[in-house]
Amino acid sequence: MIANWDQFLLPYQQAVSELKVKLRGIRKQFENRNERPPIEFVTGRVKPVASIKEKMSRRHVAEERLEQDMQDIAGLRIMCQFVDDIYDVVDLLRRRTDLTILEERDYIHNEKPSGYRSYHIVIEYPVQLVSGEKKILAEIQVRTLAMNFWATIEHSLNYKYQGDFPEELSGRLQRAAEAAFKLDTEMSEIREEIQEAQQYMTPQHHDSSSTGQSKEE
Ligand code: 0O2
Ligand code: 0O2
């Protein structure tokens, strides 16, 4: 029996706090270089004890197996503007040496039956405790703002209906998820247009196209 949940969750709390700082740091570094960051914002949470217990009984996870079998006790969420940013963020995470990626689940190309889309990464992360190093599991969900909008609303409805949606509502939610993904696709296409336009407007391009001379000449 876990007698002291606060004590059990302490390393998870520490991991969430550290990872929030580190992931928000990525955004800052891009800003300092005057580049558009692939990360819009980062949130994090430790799963509440009631939700852990509920998932343990639903998934038949024994307390002795909790650390290995429940991957999202520590949860981080990274929100991006564009779908491509998600894959850039995943690449950045793959190159880090302070965490180890154990699993990746692409629910963007393989959306869930509900319509849910996100990129999930399960990591092993070492926390330094006074008793020594402890490696814990954490789940990082990477998604666009539109995917986040859909998931947040669907999550509250799920809570209200306890996962048992009336058929009509689940159909509408699936269609809403498609609409959100269409919005993501459209925004990506507009982004390409914007970048092309911005490139055309750079002084170099302007000089060479108006005078026939490049800046170097
Ligand atoms: P700022 O200046 O508000 O942007 P903490 O770890 O204490 O900083 P906490 O209390 O854990 O944050 O909150 P949470 O829910 O993990 O993360 C909240 C952060 O995400 C805040 O940023 C919010 O501003 C930001 N956030 C939440 N929702 C949105 C959103 O829809 N759009 C944008 N752009 N940001 C959002 P900060 O770091 O507290 O600073
Ligand atoms: P929370 O803290 O309420 O978000 P399972 O956890 O049983 O669903 P698995 O395979 O362990 O399944 O993990 P999976 O499916 O990779 O990730 C589970 C998490 O993804 C969920 O956590 C949600 O955060 C999110 N998620 C997955 N499917 C959906 C969905 O259809 N709608 C929404 N809104 N979110 C989804 P939890 O357990 O719900 O915890």
Side-chain angles (χ1 to χ4, degrees):
M1 268 304 270
I2 297 176
N4 189 337
W5 278 95
D6 283 346
Q7 195 183 332
F8 174 80
L9 292 176
L10 208 63
Y12 292 94
Q13 242 131 27
Q14 191 169 321
V16 168
S17 304
E18 290 180 13
L19 286 164
K20 273 201 286 196
V21 170
K22 290 179 176 191
L23 298 171
R24 286 172 182 164
I26 298 177
R27 183 183 156 85
K28 265 201 198 88
Q29 290 170 55
F30 275 87
E31 280 172 343
N32 283 346
R33 296 197 313 214
N34 284 324
E35 288 174 38
R36 189 185 64 82
I39 292 176
E40 190 64 15
F41 66 97
V42 177
T43 64
R45 61 103 183 95
V46 173
K47 209 175 184 68
V49 176
S51 310
I52 298 177
K53 287 181 174 167
E54 184 277 321
K55 195 167 176 177
M56 277 168 77
S57 72
R58 180 163 44 88
R59 287 291 190 100
H60 307 290
V61 177
E63 252 180 32
E64 311 79 68
R65 298 280 314 163
L66 191 55
E67 289 180 10
Q68 303 97 298
D69 290 357
M70 203 172 293
Q71 302 169 324
D72 67 340
I73 295 176
L76 280 302
R77 212 166 259 168
I78 301 177
M79 266 55 68
C80 308
Q81 286 189 353
F82 302 105
V83 177
D84 286 350
D85 293 343
I86 296 176
Y87 293 95
D88 291 344
V89 169
V90 172
D91 276 339
L92 286 172
L93 294 176
R94 287 190 189 124
R95 288 204 291 271
R96 291 189 79 105
T97 54
D98 56 347
L99 52 87
T100 310
I101 296 182
L102 299 184
E103 266 181 54
E104 295 186 25
R105 292 197 278 270
D106 185 345
Y107 296 128
I108 297 168
H109 288 105
N110 310 294
E111 74 270 21
K112 291 211 160 190
S114 60
Y116 176 80
R117 279 188 170 88
S118 267
Y119 198 101
H120 289 195
I121 295 173
V122 178
I123 62 163
E124 187 179 63
Y125 181 76
V127 240
Q128 306 299 322
L129 304 172
V130 277
S131 50
E133 181 180 286
K134 184 175 170 65
K135 291 197 168 86
I136 62 133
L137 299 182
E139 184 184 73
I140 306 179
Q141 301 178 343
V142 197
R143 47 169 77 153
T144 61
L145 295 168
M147 291 171 192
N148 189 51
F149 176 48
W150 183 91
T152 306
I153 284 167
E154 197 261 4
H155 193 268
S156 356
L157 284 168
N158 225 316
Y159 193 77
K160 178 179 171 190
Y161 288 98
Q162 298 289 312
D164 200 12
F165 289 128
E167 211 161 289
E168 199 224 331
L169 186 56
S170 58
R172 290 181 112 163
L173 282 167
Q174 281 160 13
R175 287 192 291 280
E178 285 314 308
F181 196 59
K182 194 153 181 276
L183 176 66
D184 274 335
T185 312
E186 299 265 353
M187 287 302 188
S188 295
E189 279 165 20
I190 294 172
R191 181 183 73 154
E192 278 154 28
E193 293 243 350
I194 292 167
Q195 281 174 338
E196 267 173 46
Q198 282 173 337
Q199 214 175 351
Y200 184 76
M201 289 300 285
T202 57
Q204 269 137 305
H205 193 283
H206 227 74
D207 287 352
S208 58
S209 58
S210 55
T211 63
Q213 286 175 329
S214 76
K215 229 181 172 184
E216 287 77 29
E217 283 169 343

